[in-house]
Amino acid sequence: MRNIQDIVSQMTLEEKASMCSGADFWHLKGVQRLGVPGVMVSDGPHGLRKQEERGDHLGINDSIKAVCFPAACATAASFDEGLLYKIGQALGEECRAEGVSVLLGPAINIKRSPLCGRNFEYFSEDPYLAGKLAAAEIRGVQEWDVGTSPKHFAANNQEYRRMTCSSDMSERTLRELYLTAFEIAVKEAKPWTMMCSYNRVNGVFASESKKLLNDILREEWGFDGYVMSDWGAVNNRVDGLAAGLELEMPASNGVNDARIVAAVQNGTLDEAVLDKAVTRLLNIIFRYADVQHENAKFDRDAHHALAAEYEKECAVLLQNNGILPLSRNAKIAYIGAYAQKPRYQGGGSSHINASRVSNALEIAEEKGMNVIYAEGFPFDKDEANSKDFTEALAIAKAADVAVVFAGLPDIMESEGYDRAHMRLPDCQNALISKILAVQKNTVVVLHNGSPVELPWADDAAAVLEMYLGGQGVGEATDALLYGDANPSGRLPESFPYKLSDNPSYLNFPGDGKNVAYAEGVYVGYRYYEAKEMPVRYAFGHGLSYTTFAYENVRVSAPNMDDASSVTVSVDITNTGETEGKEVVQLYVQDCTGAIARPLKELKGFAKVALAPGETKTVSLAVNARSLAWYNEDLGDWYAASGKYTLLLGHSSADIRGRVDVQFTTQTILPLFVTENSTLGELMAHPIAGPAVAQMTAGFAQSFGGGEEQSAVANAAVNSEMSKQMMQNAPVRLLRNFGGMDDSKISAMINSVNQILQNGK
Ligand code: BGC
């Protein structure tokens, strides 16, 4: 075992400070005389962007030839932790083979608005799904003794003014939507590092937030690695270090190192803080450097094949009137530039120098098919080209089936800026509508990293969402179109009909200084369902070439409490003729009425492969946390006692079975009584309630009760009206309607507070 303390104790103040920023764009500093190597980190997240010469964080300069796996928008649609684990393993091996100590990913921010430029790099609008998939990927990478860096911590949900803007929201919203994925990743997979985001959260830079970097990340969640800044996210280096930011990336050219030295020398920074940071850095550096994996290799061809295989699990069949799968004998026209030059990844720091890229047209030709092709629209522009339309329309009309390859051009979807609207390029919409007018057997294949409006969808025979499917997208598209693979992806986000339906619409992206997360916890399906707003395709939706029956939904026990968990099970049968995979989704509905909540929230999922006629039982665990929301008074997760319904289904909009559980909690919510506490909240409290009932006995008359009874008790039993009135009446009203004088009211308040403080 290496003695890290010993190394730290031998370092000079200057050496320690210098460890806290990068040596260059991609390396940490080493200390040669003490045997500390200067290890390398690289992007991430869906491939290795290792730059050997000129570095940049926007994917501009060259990086080594690598394999571009499907981007997170696509892998999230697999709803398959096993798949993410395998992708992680492949990336971990590549990192080992290339001498990379930390892969900068996965990126797990919530897709709050369809417009965020980096949505393609992120998993989902749902934090549970994002967290579970991230944890699986992290486990896969780290199995190779290579670190990961989940990013961007936290609440970085837009590109507009991402380096300065403050994401403003309630604590409950922060916890339930924007921190949960990070929490799951940290608790379940122990990432070696974490990347803090550029933005501020409620006014404080993430890179300087003690609350985020220390109190929540380390103390609550048990994170034991180092935090690095996003590239250039440091505002005040000394404040950041004190808050828990160990590593500034990239190099600060010595400027911030000198500031750290000065701060220690002038007493504004305790040297112990610096020692702790360096200890954390060294722990992770040696966790990588002290292990060898001589057998690790980067087999680009083998990994290309994996990328293609994995993409087949990710694509989502959005609609199908039965036209798919196509017959290879039919007369087929491929239209649209992406048939030949697919869009398979997004722009910016995640941009991979792909070793090769397959396309659907070449694969069909390789298989001996005689597909007719017309470009139809330019690959990277939004310009209608009437000549191409003519040719495209002619081949569409002459064919049995037209397959249009549409999507977002590179320029519309990248790190660094947000999308301006949610539409496809106008030329593509125009072309598709025209084709639909001459050929009803039209299938649209989409390549995009985030929802788009699909104004022509009702007329299309089928729509297949490939997302940004990585460099094997050609093989995957071909296999899915012709039924060599059966689509099994599910939407990790809702597709609203139009942008203005989205809950963040009025507040995204804010004024540049602040962005109000005014929709609170009602993000994505949580909002559309609460508003009863129809969407084009619901969260969790995705079709298959077979069908599945759900039977015998059951729960292992009807009751649960804080410490126990239950298992909800269902028998799934493949009732069709083709083998396929079903994604069973578990949502929880809180029926206690304790607080306003979304109608349902995803709390479990499992993907199961079934041969025709085969039945398998899927079981999912539910514990107290699955039922809970973040209670700000308690400063913790909380589920009220009462009924919860567990919903099992094929998507958020297609629930196939439900079962109730009765939950009992021992948690007593904190309460501090004032004159303006309502009688309703007091009476609902298990400790305050009985005490108040007793103390108000005899002061009841004006609340409509009998002389002997307490106001509260009377109100509760006499009539619904007085009960309602009482609920909202503040304690001080006992003066007006209960005949209590000031001294009695304050005596009561004091003594109830005393009882509450004693906890009984
Ligand atoms: C991105 C990070 C990336 C880093 C290094 C930044 O611009 O936000 O996701 O890891 O650059 O390229």
Side-chain angles (χ1 to χ4, degrees):
M1 265 304 265
R2 210 170 262 278
N3 189 337
I4 304 278
Q5 293 315 327
D6 194 45
I7 302 177
V8 177
S9 69
Q10 293 180 57
M11 284 180 162
T12 64
L13 174 60
E14 286 72 17
E15 279 170 340
K16 287 188 287 193
S18 84
M19 288 294 299
C20 296
S21 67
D24 57 25
F25 229 84
W26 301 117
H27 292 86
L28 277 67
K29 293 197 193 98
V31 182
Q32 219 179 0
R33 69 179 183 90
L34 296 173
V36 178
V39 295
M40 182 174 204
V41 301
S42 275
D43 284 310
H46 46 262
L48 190 54
R49 187 172 74 94
K50 181 184 173 192
Q51 292 187 313
E52 285 176 325
E53 283 155 26
R54 293 185 55 207
D56 69 86
H57 62 302
L58 294 172
I60 299 164
N61 295 307
D62 255 5
S63 46
I64 61 162
K65 284 272 180 218
V67 174
C68 181
F69 286 92
C73 54
T75 56
S78 74
F79 269 71
D80 187 347
E81 292 168 80
L83 186 88
L84 270 295
Y85 175 74
K86 286 191 270 181
I87 293 177
Q89 279 186 316
L91 292 171
E93 181 171 15
E94 293 177 7
C95 286
R96 266 289 158 188
E98 287 293 330
V100 170
S101 74
V102 174
L103 183 74
L104 303 176
I108 57 179
N109 296 100
I110 293 299
K111 294 180 162 193
R112 173 178 177 239
S113 162
L115 298 187
C116 172
R118 279 184 107 166
N119 273 355
F120 70 89
E121 263 186 88
Y122 298 145
F123 284 117
S124 177
E125 69 187 23
D126 182 89
Y128 180 85
L129 180 65
K132 286 292 196 182
L133 297 179
E137 185 172 351
I138 291 166
R139 279 194 293 268
V141 175
Q142 294 191 173
E143 206 173 85
W144 281 94
D145 299 300
V146 166
T148 54
S149 198
K151 61 192 188 182
H152 310 86
F153 186 61
N156 177 192
N157 310 94
Q158 65 188 47
E159 293 298 282
Y160 179 64
R161 303 263 186 116
R162 65 171 165 161
M163 300 200 180
T164 46
C165 191
S166 177
S167 303
D168 296 343
M169 68 193 83
S170 70
E171 183 71 14
R172 181 180 166 205
T173 302
L174 180 67
R175 297 282 187 153
E176 288 184 30
L177 265 294
Y178 299 98
L179 294 188
T180 294
F182 291 98
E183 179 182 2
I184 295 172
V186 169
K187 287 183 173 167
E188 295 189 5
K190 297 207 163 301
W192 290 11
T193 83
M194 179 73 86
M195 188 190 293
C196 76
S197 57
Y198 288 119
N199 54 289
R200 306 174 201 235
V201 181
N202 291 328
V204 181
F205 276 106
S207 63
E208 284 167 26
S209 170
K210 176 175 171 295
K211 171 179 163 175
L212 286 175
L213 304 186
N214 184 71
D215 304 354
I216 295 179
L217 181 62
R218 290 187 184 280
E219 289 182 6
E220 277 186 39
W221 300 346
F223 174 74
D224 68 355
Y226 69 77
V227 179
M228 73 176 88
S229 72
D230 199 345
W231 268 231
V234 168
N235 172 57
N236 180 315
R237 184 64 190 103
V238 175
D239 288 354
L241 189 62
L245 174 68
E246 281 80 27
L247 178 65
E248 171 179 16
M249 285 304 283
S252 68
N253 298 314
V255 175
N256 278 335
D257 303 352
R259 287 199 172 110
I260 293 174
V261 171
V264 171
Q265 282 168 344
N266 68 26
T268 44
L269 182 75
D270 187 347
E271 192 165 355
V273 172
L274 179 60
D275 288 355
K276 208 193 276 177
V278 176
T279 305
R280 288 170 177 163
L281 284 160
L282 292 179
N283 269 327
I284 299 298
I285 291 171
F286 285 116
R287 209 184 271 180
Y288 170 79
D290 280 346
V291 181
Q292 305 301 320
H293 282 272
E294 254 110 41
N295 57 342
K297 55 183 183 311
F298 188 171
D299 184 337
R300 287 166 178 76
D301 288 339
H303 285 192
H304 173 91
L306 290 182
E309 274 316 297
Y310 296 162
E311 170 62 358
K312 292 177 195 166
E313 306 284 324
C314 299
V316 187
L317 182 57
L318 294 174
Q319 61 183 64
N320 183 17
N321 68 0
I323 193 168
L324 293 182
L326 301 173
S327 158
R328 292 203 186 267
N329 299 323
K331 192 171 169 200
I332 294 180
Y334 279 6
I335 297 164
Y338 302 138
Q340 205 174 31
K341 217 174 165 211
R343 179 129 186 291
Y344 65 99
Q345 66 170 330
S349 63
S350 69
H351 197 89
I352 302 302
N353 183 2
S355 59
R356 63 189 222 235
V357 184
S358 63
N359 65 73
L361 186 61
E362 97 195 324
I363 301 292
E365 282 162 359
E366 274 168 30
K367 296 206 162 152
M369 291 177 62
N370 187 16
V371 172
I372 329 157
Y373 168 70
E375 189 184 58
F377 58 84
F379 169 72
D380 56 357
K381 293 194 205 79
D382 185 9
E383 277 168 13
N385 179 329
S386 54
K387 180 170 155 284
D388 282 352
F389 274 23
T390 314
E391 188 195 349
L393 289 174
I395 69 163
K397 210 169 165 180
D400 299 331
V401 178
V403 184
V404 185
F405 292 77
L408 292 172
D410 275 331
I411 189 71
M412 281 194 179
E413 209 171 32
S414 167
E415 176 179 344
Y417 53 92
D418 296 314
R419 284 158 72 199
H421 56 73
M422 205 182 118
R423 300 187 304 276
L424 288 169
D426 292 344
C427 65
Q428 295 189 29
N429 280 331
L431 173 66
I432 295 168
S433 297
K434 287 197 161 116
I435 290 175
L436 286 167
V438 298
Q439 176 54 272
K440 65 177 178 19
N441 292 332
T442 296
V443 176
V444 180
V445 176
L446 291 170
H447 301 75
N448 46 293
S450 192
V452 285
E453 292 167 16
L454 302 170
W456 35 258
D458 289 344
D459 299 323
V463 182
L464 178 64
E465 173 63 82
M466 299 305 293
Y467 278 114
L468 300 184
Q471 68 182 58
V473 66
E475 291 95 326
T477 310
D478 180 86
L480 292 162
L481 283 177
Y482 298 97
D484 298 339
N486 189 349
S488 63
R490 303 286 182 268
L491 284 182
E493 60 201 335
S494 319
F495 270 50
Y497 279 102
K498 54 187 189 307
L499 179 63
S500 58
D501 289 348
N502 178 263
S504 73
Y505 179 66
L506 294 176
N507 294 294
F508 183 96
D511 62 9
K513 295 194 187 93
N514 296 78
V515 47
Y517 285 47
E519 70 284 0
V521 298
Y522 295 94
V523 171
Y525 69 93
R526 288 166 163 77
Y527 173 82
Y528 300 119
E529 295 207 334
K531 283 285 288 180
E532 299 180 355
M533 183 182 281
V535 289
R536 171 79 65 194
Y537 307 114
F539 176 86
H541 167 75
L543 304 174
S544 165
Y545 296 150
T546 187
T547 47
F548 302 98
Y550 283 59
E551 280 164 326
N552 200 12
V553 173
R554 58 217 184 258
V555 66
S556 56
N559 301 306
M560 58 183 286
D561 57 30
D562 297 313
S564 63
S565 61
V566 296
T567 303
V568 54
S569 304
V570 59
D571 300 333
I572 306 288
T573 304
N574 180 343
T575 48
E577 317 266 279
T578 315
E579 72 177 350
K581 290 183 180 167
E582 173 64 336
V583 176
V584 178
Q585 298 164 41
L586 165 69
Y587 296 86
V588 170
Q589 181 172 25
D590 181 343
C591 308
T592 66
I595 195 162
R597 287 182 76 173
L599 291 181
K600 59 170 93 92
E601 296 175 45
L602 184 77
K603 296 296 170 182
F605 59 92
K607 195 167 194 175
V608 53
L610 293 163
E614 191 183 7
T615 301
K616 279 184 187 161
T617 298
V618 171
S619 295
L620 298 162
V622 175
N623 59 22
R625 175 65 188 265
S626 321
L627 312 180
W629 48 283
Y630 191 83
N631 185 305
E632 293 184 4
D633 293 335
L634 188 64
D636 205 348
W637 294 86
Y638 172 77
S641 295
K643 186 174 98 172
Y644 293 79
T645 302
L646 311 178
L647 308 149
L648 283 176
H650 174 82
S651 81
S652 63
D654 185 2
I655 297 303
R656 304 281 182 87
R658 61 186 69 215
V659 62
D660 293 338
V661 287
Q662 202 66 31
F663 177 74
T664 312
T665 183
Q666 297 301 316
T667 303
I668 295 174
L669 292 178
L671 182 67
F672 182 76
V673 186
T674 68
E675 280 208 345
N676 282 309
S677 304
T678 68
L679 293 171
E681 68 182 303
L682 298 193
M683 290 312 293
H685 195 274
I687 295 175
V692 171
Q694 203 190 8
M695 288 178 217
T696 56
F699 297 94
Q701 298 85 338
S702 305
F703 269 105
E707 309 225 329
E708 298 306 309
Q709 289 194 312
S710 78
V712 177
N714 270 328
V717 294
N718 279 355
S719 73
E720 191 51 35
M721 204 169 159
S722 52
K723 188 173 161 191
Q724 293 292 343
M725 271 177 60
M726 180 275 286
Q727 284 289 330
N728 296 314
V731 169
R732 65 181 157 74
L733 250 68
L734 288 170
R735 199 177 288 139
N736 310 85
F737 303 120
M740 270 178 125
D741 64 22
D742 280 355
S743 64
K744 291 220 165 61
I745 290 180
S746 59
M748 180 185 90
I749 291 175
N750 289 340
S751 94
V752 177
N753 278 332
Q754 197 61 50
I755 293 171
L756 285 166
Q757 220 176 3
N758 295 338
K760 51 178 166 339

